[in-house]
Amino acid sequence: IGNFNSNKMAESYMHRFRDALTKKKVRDYFIFLSILGVILSLVTIRGNYILAPPYAVSAYLIVFERNTKYSSMGSLVSTYALVILSSDTLHFLLGVSLVGMVLNVVIVSAFVTFTNLTHPPAIALTIFSYIAGNPLDFTISSVLSMAALLAASLIMRKYGL
């Protein structure tokens, strides 16, 4: 009888644990969709749909990997700021060219690799800056998206989400 009650109690705890995980995942998924909706709205204003993929991955990391180095605010700001600065500088100096893109990817990937400020979507954003073609639109979309990601991260931390 003691073993039967222990098994039943363990089952009950496992069931509650599974329910809590499922509810948390569903809540987090809606948070992710909300952040993504804001970012897509901001990118749409500038007409740069092509820039959405790296931002979507960043939103995913901020929500579902929130306690890792990949989603820290320092990593996000540092890597995205570097991408914006290096992309704008190289676009200005070399134009939208293969040489500029390769050099830019080398700069950003070295930063992501050799520092503790690691946010891999920044490498993809570097390449997308050349696909987007218009440096001003790229910069505005990136700054707006970075602000939305930071705001979401701060809100999630403040409310313990």
Side-chain angles (χ1 to χ4, degrees):
I1 283 183
N3 191 23
F4 176 73
N5 286 337
S6 296
N7 287 342
K8 210 170 193 176
M9 198 159 62
E11 257 181 55
S12 175
Y13 283 122
M14 288 303 292
H15 182 67
R16 281 190 239 154
F17 181 69
R18 249 191 327 262
D19 284 350
L21 280 179
T22 302
K23 287 177 186 173
K24 183 182 180 316
K25 275 250 194 226
V26 168
R27 181 202 68 199
D28 286 353
Y29 187 67
F30 281 110
I31 291 170
F32 165 72
L33 289 177
S34 299
I35 296 167
L36 186 60
V38 169
I39 289 171
L40 290 175
S41 297
L42 293 171
V43 170
T44 301
I45 291 169
R46 300 301 305 173
N48 268 334
Y49 304 103
I50 196 71
L51 294 174
Y55 304 136
V57 174
S58 292
Y60 182 89
L61 289 173
I62 284 171
V63 173
F64 292 104
E65 301 296 328
R66 65 177 61 102
N67 297 318
T68 68
K69 66 181 182 178
Y70 302 115
S71 63
S72 76
M73 285 191 284
S75 292
L76 177 77
V77 171
S78 299
T79 57
Y80 274 13
L82 176 63
V83 170
I84 293 165
L85 275 167
S86 63
S87 295
D88 285 349
T89 302
L90 291 172
H91 284 147
F92 178 75
L93 295 174
L94 302 174
V96 179
S97 66
L98 180 60
V99 171
M101 182 175 67
V102 170
L103 183 57
N104 205 359
V105 169
V106 167
I107 291 167
V108 173
S109 63
F111 182 83
V112 167
T113 302
F114 297 111
T115 69
N116 290 328
L117 301 168
T118 302
H119 191 70
I123 299 169
L125 185 60
T126 303
I127 295 168
F128 279 92
S129 76
Y130 288 83
I131 296 170
N134 185 330
L136 179 62
D137 283 343
F138 165 74
T139 300
I140 292 170
S141 294
S142 295
V143 169
L144 291 174
S145 295
M146 184 172 55
L149 290 164
L150 283 173
S153 184
L154 288 169
I155 290 167
M156 287 171 31
R157 285 183 188 192
K158 177 176 173 109
Y159 294 103
L161 300 173

